């Protein structure tokens, strides 16, 4: 057990406005990814887990994506999101532990990863990989950013590197892209990998 496993830890950070990870805008690499998607993607089921203030979900909504779901176990950012986006369907605002989501209830075409993997207890990284593979449809895609940096601290963000990620993800995902991110936010320049992985699960 690690304090980051507890929703209360994160909720307090939001209540105290101690959210150093929050960029206050949609992640530029993810915006660029979304912008090049075909119109046929607009009704695909998309998950942003550990979404926090969920600028990516807000962006998807504004761009006409109709089937995006936000998951976070801290209620504060979800309530704030609901106020900012009153037209967003409330049934797609899920206040729950990502690890407790049942694949019988949720199946997604793709997932956007943005500073969620680095926030979870490092001992749960393999659980994250397996849970993503279960929540994604066969051939579904996990797209996003992972830190390539060792922060050397006993608290989030917990870093990592491409070798570790390849080892962890390869049993469950075909790693299509894992490369230094060229369009990171200036504060994260040179410390992120852009990844695109396809679920290996067949059914
Ligand atoms: C570092 S923040 C990142 C938030 C957002 N993705 C961003 O980039 O601003 C990590 C988020 O993950 C959420 N979180 C951590 N563990 C979680 C879990 N097991 N289930 C659901 N949400 C979780 C926290 O409440 C927090 O909002």
């Amino acid at each position: 057990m690690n304090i980051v496993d507890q929703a209360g830890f994160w909720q307090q950070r939001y209540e105290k406005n101690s959210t150093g990870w929050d960029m206050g805008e949609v992640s530029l690499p993810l915006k660029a990814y979304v912008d090049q998607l075909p119109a046929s993607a607009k009704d695909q089921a998309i998950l942003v887990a550990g979404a926090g203030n969920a600028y990516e979900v807000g962006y998807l909504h504004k761009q006409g994506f109709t089937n995006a779901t936000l998951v976070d176990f801290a209620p504060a950012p979800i309530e704030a999101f609901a106020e900012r986006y009153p037209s967003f369907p409330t049934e797609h605002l899920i206040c729950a532990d990502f690890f407790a989501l049942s694949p019988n209830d949720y199946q997604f075409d793709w997932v956007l990863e943005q500073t969620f993997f680095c926030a979870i207890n490092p001992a749960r990284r393999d659980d994250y990989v397996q849970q993503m593979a279960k929540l994604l449809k066969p051939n579904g895609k996990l797209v996003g950013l992972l830190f390539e940096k060792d922060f050397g601290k006993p608290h989030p963000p917990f870093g990592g590197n491409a070798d570790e990620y390849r080892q962890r993800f390869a049993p469950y995902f075909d790693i299509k892209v894992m490369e230094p991110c060229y369009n990171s936010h200036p504060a994260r320049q040179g410390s992120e990998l852009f990844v695109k992985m396809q679920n290996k699960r067949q059914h």
Side-chain angles (χ1 to χ4, degrees):
M1 190 68 161
N2 185 310
I3 193 162
V4 300
D5 297 327
Q6 296 171 10
F9 166 78
W10 295 98
Q11 172 71 9
Q12 268 203 3
R13 300 283 301 257
Y14 286 105
E15 285 171 1
K16 292 183 178 157
N17 223 3
S18 171
T19 52
W21 61 80
D22 191 311
M23 295 190 298
E25 61 180 356
V26 61
S27 158
L28 294 179
L30 296 186
K31 175 181 179 298
Y33 176 76
V34 167
D35 287 347
Q36 54 79 53
L37 288 169
S40 57
K42 297 237 161 154
D43 62 355
Q44 289 183 336
I46 307 161
L47 169 67
V48 184
N53 280 314
Y55 306 103
E56 291 70 34
V57 181
Y59 185 70
L60 289 167
H61 182 57
K62 282 193 285 193
Q63 295 307 113
F65 288 79
T66 56
N67 199 0
T69 296
L70 180 170
V71 170
D72 204 292
F73 64 4
I78 298 190
E79 287 159 11
F81 182 91
E83 272 183 31
R84 289 205 315 279
Y85 294 97
S87 62
F88 190 85
T90 49
E91 66 274 20
H92 286 192
L93 295 176
I94 313 292
C95 190
D97 186 338
F98 162 77
F99 294 103
L101 295 180
S102 166
N104 295 328
D105 297 335
Y106 300 102
Q107 284 289 295
F108 299 97
D109 292 294
W110 41 286
V111 173
L112 284 182
E113 163 58 50
Q114 166 70 35
T115 48
F116 176 45
F117 183 84
C118 68
I120 62 167
N121 178 351
R124 304 208 70 185
R125 288 189 165 182
D126 290 337
D127 295 343
Y128 169 106
V129 173
Q130 290 172 34
Q131 175 70 337
M132 282 298 182
K134 286 181 196 157
L135 293 174
L136 277 165
K137 296 178 185 175
N139 296 322
K141 291 187 197 70
L142 172 58
V143 178
L145 300 163
L146 297 173
F147 277 117
E148 187 164 53
K149 183 170 177 173
D150 179 5
F151 294 96
K153 300 261 166 63
H155 56 73
F158 300 109
N161 58 63
D163 287 345
E164 179 208 333
Y165 302 146
R166 282 186 187 282
Q167 270 185 24
R168 289 191 191 276
F169 283 96
Y172 297 89
F173 288 88
D174 280 327
I175 300 171
K176 305 284 190 194
V177 178
M178 184 175 285
E179 56 194 33
C181 184
Y182 68 89
N183 53 355
S184 292
H185 186 281
R188 296 183 184 168
Q189 205 70 48
S191 63
E192 289 184 317
L193 296 167
F194 182 78
V195 301
K196 191 169 160 190
M197 314 191 218
Q198 189 162 31
N199 199 359
K200 281 184 175 174
R201 190 162 64 83
Q202 296 298 310
H203 51 79

